[in-house]
Amino acid sequence: MKIIDLYIIKKYLGTFGFMLGLLTIIILVIDVQAKAPRIESNGFTVTEFLIDFYPYWIVNLIITFMSILVFISVIFFTSKIANNTEIVAIISSGASFHRFARPYFITSGAIAIAALLINHFILPLANIKKNELEPYTYSAKNREEFTGNAEVATQLSKTEYIFIKSYNKKEKRGSGFFYQKFDKDRKIIYQLNAVDFYWEKDKKLFLMNNYLEKTFLKNDTEKLAQGNSITKNFGQTPEELFPDVLLGQNKTTPELIKFINREKEKGNANLNNYLNELYQRTSMPFSVIILTVLGLALASQKKRGGLGMNLAIGIALAFVFVFSFEVLKVVSANKTISPFLAMWIPNLIFGPLALYLYLKRANQ
């Protein structure tokens, strides 16, 4: 690796690190100020959140905006060296534009690989900690979905169903429990009612209180059993039996794939939020390379307006990129397009654009 390669890599990583630190500090200050009243109204202190929530929240923030920060960083430092005629000097010395671009590919490739590993295996561990407290930063209405009582209806398999009149996800207990199992001909064979129930974490079982069991026999008779309490194992934890939209964020990719396959076997068709999470973990790191190429093509030639014009174009394209991802998540969740396509459309649009502009610049 030559001096020029190390010089560009140092510029790349130095600018990226500076942008990353600056954005993190600004957004952290704004977010803490905005959420402090909600945090304190729920019985916590801002200090507790700065220790137990925000370090993990920042990891999520960095990954979310990594490709955009890379894009703006590349435009910023490339515009500076272009305005200083350093690129002209390098190419005039006999190096091709492709050779000049090599350290860009090396650095963006390294960042993309790191982002892939973080997305698939490390970020979910941070999300577990983040999501424990995140509902307490929501408005009262949105927080109720995660910490309040709600009716639940879920399908364990193609022949098993659970209905709960009132269930609290935080406390893992509820009332008005109703379970039914059918045979392959859709004829009921077993039913369990319980006045209330809760999850015993140590035993990994559900404890049903004041229960009534009905077993439907082949001769159209019923076998009844009732009592004060009985334990039941439904093969899954409460988080997996009664999942919320945050569950997918908490699972490493092998765990998430296993969960999605299990839900498909159960007949659950509402999986697009989890599939979006799965496919985005790969598509976002790839966008680091695409946006690096695009930033290089846009900023490597000295033009009227200089750095300011390049940054304006870069920030505008960055907002379009981020906004398109968020819009496509909603579109996919509503089952308008497939999650895989939704999470890759931005790359499929920006990728050919970046390649075209790069080749056009290289041939000048």
Side-chain angles (χ1 to χ4, degrees):
M1 189 175 291
K2 295 186 177 180
I3 294 176
I4 186 62
D5 295 322
L6 294 175
Y7 173 73
I8 292 174
I9 290 172
K10 183 179 178 181
K11 285 279 188 180
Y12 191 138
L13 294 178
T15 307
F16 175 64
F18 173 78
M19 293 282 188
L20 186 63
L22 182 63
L23 179 73
T24 300
I25 292 171
I26 292 172
I27 295 182
L28 178 62
V29 171
I30 294 172
D31 197 78
V32 170
Q33 288 182 335
K35 293 177 178 176
R38 292 177 185 172
I39 292 170
E40 292 171 347
S41 67
N42 284 297
F44 297 94
T45 65
V46 172
T47 301
E48 287 176 314
F49 263 66
L50 287 173
I51 296 172
D52 298 328
F53 172 76
Y54 277 106
Y56 309 103
W57 178 84
I58 287 171
V59 174
N60 189 281
L61 177 76
I62 290 171
I63 290 297
T64 300
F65 291 100
M66 178 175 287
S67 56
I68 302 305
L69 287 172
V70 162
F71 184 46
I72 295 174
S73 299
V74 168
I75 286 179
F76 183 82
F77 85 82
T78 304
S79 295
K80 288 188 69 175
I81 63 175
N83 289 338
N84 293 335
T85 66
E86 294 177 59
I87 297 177
V88 173
I90 293 169
I91 294 177
S92 298
S93 68
S96 67
F97 186 79
H98 299 298
R99 176 62 186 86
F100 167 73
R102 183 190 296 176
Y104 286 84
F105 289 110
I106 292 172
T107 311
S108 62
I111 294 175
I113 291 171
L116 273 171
L117 293 174
I118 293 170
N119 267 358
H120 287 286
F121 300 102
I122 299 174
L123 183 60
L125 303 180
N127 283 336
I128 291 173
K129 294 290 187 180
K130 175 183 76 74
N131 291 339
E132 286 178 358
L133 293 174
E134 187 159 39
Y136 298 103
T137 66
Y138 297 162
S139 64
K141 182 180 179 181
N142 293 332
R143 185 173 65 249
E144 189 71 15
E145 179 185 349
F146 300 94
T147 61
N149 296 326
E151 290 186 0
V152 172
T154 189
Q155 186 175 349
L156 297 183
S157 67
K158 294 181 179 179
T159 59
E160 297 176 275
Y161 302 87
I162 289 178
F163 305 93
I164 303 170
K165 187 175 182 180
S166 178
Y167 178 69
N168 188 290
K169 290 182 179 180
K170 179 187 176 184
E171 298 179 358
K172 298 181 178 59
R173 62 171 61 241
S175 60
F177 181 89
F178 184 60
Y179 166 83
Q180 286 183 318
K181 185 174 183 179
F182 298 82
D183 62 17
K184 61 181 181 179
D185 297 320
R186 307 300 298 170
K187 189 174 182 180
I188 190 168
I189 57 176
Y190 177 77
Q191 180 174 301
L192 172 64
N193 297 69
V195 173
D196 59 75
F197 72 100
Y198 64 90
W199 171 251
E200 288 196 331
K201 185 177 180 180
D202 294 335
K203 296 181 180 179
K204 296 184 178 180
L205 295 169
F206 287 94
L207 180 66
M208 309 288 172
N209 295 317
N210 299 318
Y211 71 93
L212 172 64
E213 285 183 303
K214 289 184 181 180
T215 304
F216 298 86
L217 305 176
K218 292 183 178 181
N219 56 2
D220 292 331
T221 59
E222 299 177 3
K223 179 182 177 182
L224 301 177
Q226 60 182 353
N228 293 328
S229 63
I230 186 174
T231 56
K232 283 290 180 179
N233 180 10
F234 296 108
Q236 298 177 55
T237 64
E239 291 81 5
E240 294 178 329
L241 278 176
F242 319 120
D244 55 41
V245 294
L246 299 178
L247 178 66
Q249 299 179 10
N250 296 350
K251 292 184 175 294
T252 62
T253 295
E255 294 171 342
L256 182 56
I257 292 172
K258 184 178 178 180
F259 170 76
I260 291 171
N261 290 337
R262 186 166 58 236
E263 291 297 302
K264 285 180 179 178
E265 292 174 1
K266 289 162 54 176
N268 186 352
N270 299 315
L271 295 173
N272 281 18
N273 282 326
Y274 305 114
L275 290 168
N276 285 343
E277 172 68 25
L278 176 64
Y279 297 134
Q280 183 179 322
R281 292 181 181 183
T282 301
S283 66
M284 286 297 282
F286 269 89
S287 68
V288 169
I289 300 174
I290 292 171
L291 293 180
T292 293
V293 174
L294 182 58
L296 171 61
L298 289 172
S300 59
Q301 191 169 23
K302 188 174 182 180
K303 59 174 72 76
R304 182 178 296 179
L307 177 60
M309 179 60 70
N310 286 337
L311 279 178
I313 295 172
I315 292 171
L317 288 173
F319 273 105
V320 170
F321 189 83
V322 171
F323 183 71
S324 65
F325 258 111
E326 296 307 313
V327 170
L328 288 166
K329 279 184 183 180
V330 175
V331 172
S332 173
N334 293 330
K335 301 182 180 179
T336 305
I337 60 176
S338 73
F340 179 84
L341 183 60
M343 293 299 98
W344 280 92
I345 281 178
N347 286 348
L348 293 175
I349 294 173
F350 278 76
L353 175 62
L355 181 61
Y356 167 76
L357 292 175
Y358 171 82
L359 293 175
K360 181 180 178 182
R361 174 67 182 91
N363 292 327
Q364 287 179 344

